[in-house]
Amino acid sequence: MFLLILDVLIISINVLIILFGMYVFTYPDNDWLRMFNGIPDDVEQDDIDLLKIKFRAVIAIMLGVIMGSFSALQAIVTHIG
């Protein structure tokens, strides 16, 4: 039972990573990213900066999908056998 709860927790964290990556990909010029990167509000970001942010978001989405699929596979295999 403990392992099932742990697996659900890990999979939900991976889902949150995927959702955050999708949000960043959709809105690369938001206030949170400006705050974390130390960019003032009055500075306009170039297209290359926004492209870098979108590229990092795609990497986060792919990592979330990979980790989530391995976690789901591990949960299925351990509870079957």
Side-chain angles (χ1 to χ4, degrees), residues 15-25 32-33 36 57 60-61:
V15 168
L16 288 176
I17 291 171
I18 294 168
L19 290 176
F20 181 71
M22 290 174 63
Y23 177 77
V24 170
F25 184 79
W32 286 4
L33 291 174
F36 290 138
I61 292 169

Side-chain angles (χ1 to χ4, degrees), residues 20 23-24 27-47 49-50 53 56:
F20 181 71
Y23 177 77
V24 170
Y27 305 108
D29 191 23
N30 60 24
D31 293 334
W32 286 4
L33 291 174
R34 284 183 172 272
M35 180 183 67
F36 290 138
N37 291 329
I39 302 170
D41 289 336
D42 57 349
V43 175
E44 187 173 333
Q45 288 183 317
D46 297 333
D47 289 338
D49 295 331
L50 298 175
I53 291 172
R56 292 177 189 153

